[in-house]
Amino acid sequence: MKILIAGAAGRLGRALADPLEQRWQVVSLARDELDITSESAVRAALDSHQPELVINAAAFTDVDGAESRPEAAREANALGPRNLARETLRREAALLSFSTDYVFDGAKKTAYDENDAPAPLSVYGESKLAGEEEIRRHNPRHFIVRTAWLYDNRGESFARRAIELAANHAEVRIVDDQRGSPTFVPHLAAAVARLAATDAFGTHHIAGSGGCSRLEFAGELYGRLGISTRLVAAKTADFPAAARRPSNSELTTSRQRAIELPPWREGVAEFASRARD
Ligand SMILES: NC(=O)c1ccc[n+]([C@@H]2O[C@H](COP(=O)([O-])OP(=O)(O)OC[C@H]3O[C@@H](n4cnc5c(N)ncnc54)[C@H](OP(=O)(O)O)[C@@H]3O)[C@@H](O)[C@H]2O)c1
C-alpha cells in the first residue's frame, strides 16, 4: 500500500512515518509541500503520488487562538478535510483523519465512547467536529480517529511544559478539574499502523487507556522523572483562557474490533525512560 501523510511536520505527523514505513511506502508532505485548504493542491498531490490511503495529520491546533481566528480554524479543520475526502473518493482511496476529545462538552461523568453525542464548547472543537462531518459526508471509506492530550519527547505539549516549570519554580500549580486520557504519541502512531491494515472504517476513539486529571498526569510525570518540585492543585478558573475546555473528556471505545492503547501510565513510563536516554 502507498500512504500519503499530510501535515507531516506536526507533533503526530512526524511520528507516523516510522511505524508505517515498516510495512508500506510512505510519502510525507509538510504544510509547505501540501496545503490541505487548497483543493487544487490536494488534487495535484493525489494525482502525482497516487496513494491508496491518505492520513491527515494537518490541523489548526491552537485551541485558544481559534476563538479569535475562527475562519482559520475552519479552513484547516473543516475545509481541508472536505478537500481530502472529496479527492480521496475521486481516486478510490481511503482517508484517515484525526479528531479530538474536545468535540465533547464534558458533562458526562464517565468516559466518552463513539456513541456519545458531541457538543463542543470551543471554536476549535466545533471546527474539528465540522471536519468529521465533511469526511463522513464525502468519503465512506474513512477512519476518524479521536484522540486526546498528546505528548512526546520532542515538541510542545502540556507534559513538556509541566517539566519545564518544575525546573525553575519551587512549586507548580496544575488544575485538578480537567480529566482526560494522556496519549503518548509513539503509542498512537503504532496503533494507527495497526488500524491502517484493516477495513474497520468509521469513528474510533484511540487514546491512552484510562483517565486522570491534569494534576495526576503531572504527578505521574514528576514521579517517573524523579522531580521533587511540589505540585499544588489549582482550578481551571485560576488560569483564564479564551477557550472553554471540557471538565471531563476521558475517551474509551465501544468498537468490537477496538484498537486499544496501553494504560496511560505506561505511556508516561516510556516517555520517562526515553527522556533519561
Ligand atoms: N495535540 C493534542 O493534544 C491533540 C489532542 C487531540 C487531538 N489532536 C489532533 O491530532 C492531530 C495532530 O495534532 P498535532 O498535535 O500533531 O498538531 P500540530 O503539532 O499542531 O501539527 C499540525 C500540523 O498541521 C500543519 N498544518 C496546519 N494547517 C495546515 C494546512 N492548511 N495544510 C497543511 N498542513 C497544515 C501545521 O503546520 P504549521 O505548524 O506550519 O501551522 C502542523 O505541522 C490534529 O488533528 C489534532 O486536532 C491533537
Side-chain angles (χ1 to χ4, degrees):
M1 177 159 72
K2 187 165 183 187
I3 298 176
L4 184 151
I5 302 174
R11 193 175 359 225
L12 179 53
R14 276 195 311 258
L16 287 169
D18 190 36
L20 293 169
E21 277 168 355
Q22 290 172 24
R23 290 186 65 176
W24 299 296
Q25 190 186 345
V26 177
V27 178
S28 294
L29 300 179
R31 185 184 190 151
D32 55 355
E33 298 161 303
L34 173 60
D35 178 346
I36 63 166
T37 64
S38 162
E39 193 171 0
S40 59
V42 169
R43 177 172 293 211
L46 268 61
D47 285 347
S48 157
H49 296 290
Q50 307 201 9
E52 288 141 280
L53 171 67
V54 171
I55 298 186
N56 176 32
F60 183 108
T61 56
D62 178 355
V63 176
D64 290 313
E67 297 294 316
S68 54
R69 298 177 59 208
E71 268 317 303
R74 230 198 118 69
E75 279 193 9
N77 295 346
L79 178 64
R82 181 173 70 190
N83 291 336
L84 292 168
R86 282 184 175 167
E87 292 301 317
T88 47
L89 180 77
R90 192 176 67 84
R91 295 207 60 92
E92 297 180 6
L95 174 62
L96 188 156
S97 192
F98 296 95
S99 189
T100 171
D101 53 332
Y102 284 9
V103 298
F104 296 114
D105 65 8
K108 196 178 174 192
K109 297 292 171 234
T110 53
Y112 285 90
D113 71 28
E114 294 87 351
N115 300 314
D116 286 310
L121 298 175
S122 62
V123 170
Y124 168 74
E126 280 167 13
S127 70
K128 293 295 294 184
L129 181 59
E132 291 187 6
E133 285 160 359
E134 294 287 359
I135 291 168
R136 290 189 190 103
R137 189 173 309 132
H138 291 291
N139 187 347
R141 295 182 64 235
H142 67 256
F143 307 92
I144 292 169
V145 175
R146 290 194 189 127
T147 189
W149 293 21
L150 298 184
Y151 68 104
D152 199 351
N153 294 80
R154 49 189 180 173
E156 272 279 299
S157 63
F158 166 82
R160 299 273 307 260
R161 275 196 304 281
I163 292 162
E164 279 159 23
L165 283 172
N168 40 25
H169 292 80
E171 60 177 38
V172 174
R173 297 171 67 229
I174 304 275
V175 300
D176 68 356
D177 57 355
Q178 284 177 39
R179 187 177 174 80
S181 299
T183 303
F184 185 51
V185 166
H187 285 173
L188 176 60
V192 167
R194 296 201 297 278
L195 181 61
T198 74
D199 59 358
F201 297 122
T203 303
H204 296 254
H205 286 187
I206 307 182
S209 294
C212 61
S213 71
R214 295 236 182 233
L215 181 68
E216 285 176 84
F217 180 28
E220 188 74 15
L221 282 163
Y222 284 16
R224 286 277 176 186
L225 289 165
I227 296 172
S228 54
T229 306
R230 203 160 74 92
L231 276 170
V232 178
K235 298 294 171 198
T236 300
D238 298 336
F239 303 98
R244 288 176 68 202
R245 286 159 171 79
S247 55
N248 171 40
S249 58
E250 182 182 334
L251 297 180
T252 188
T253 182
S254 64
R255 294 199 58 120
Q256 285 194 336
R257 291 163 63 201
I259 306 275
E260 286 179 289
L261 296 198
W264 68 268
R265 281 193 174 83
E266 284 184 27
V268 174
E270 202 169 323
F271 171 90
S273 94
R274 292 188 190 199
R276 278 191 295 266
D277 284 348

